[in-house]
């Protein structure tokens, strides 16, 4: 459980690393090379981390949840 939570945080940070630099470039705060490097690293990390936690069965059995 704790391991999946860490992987979700890593995935979210990697996703932010692909989006935030583009916004900073749009605002004129960083250069194109920085955007390219950050987006490339963020993309690789996201594709490496996300499949490790997505698709796993939830720890709570669906039969135990009452809606």
């Amino acid at each position: 459980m704790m391991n999946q939570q860490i992987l979700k945080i890593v995935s979210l940070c990697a996703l932010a690393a692909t989006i935030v630099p583009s916004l900073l470039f749009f605002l004129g705060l960083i250069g194109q090379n920085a955007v390219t490097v950050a987006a490339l690293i963020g993309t690789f990390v996201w594709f490496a981390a996300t499949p490790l936690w997505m698709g796993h069965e939830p720890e709570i059995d669906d039969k135990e949840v009452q809606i």
Side-chain angles (χ1 to χ4, degrees):
M1 164 108 172
M2 182 64 150
N3 204 16
Q4 286 186 357
Q5 293 297 329
I6 292 170
L7 287 171
K8 288 180 183 181
I9 293 170
V10 169
S11 294
L12 182 63
C13 291
L15 187 59
T18 62
I19 297 170
V20 172
S22 298
L23 296 173
L24 294 176
F25 178 75
F26 179 72
L27 296 173
L29 299 175
I30 61 175
Q32 184 177 2
N33 288 337
V35 174
T36 303
V37 170
L40 186 63
I41 292 171
T43 300
F44 282 133
V45 172
W46 188 84
F47 274 106
T50 302
L52 297 175
W53 64 265
M54 278 189 88
H56 289 278
E57 294 294 322
E59 292 189 14
I60 300 173
D61 189 13
D62 293 341
K63 296 175 185 173
E64 296 176 8
V65 177
Q66 185 178 17
I67 298 177

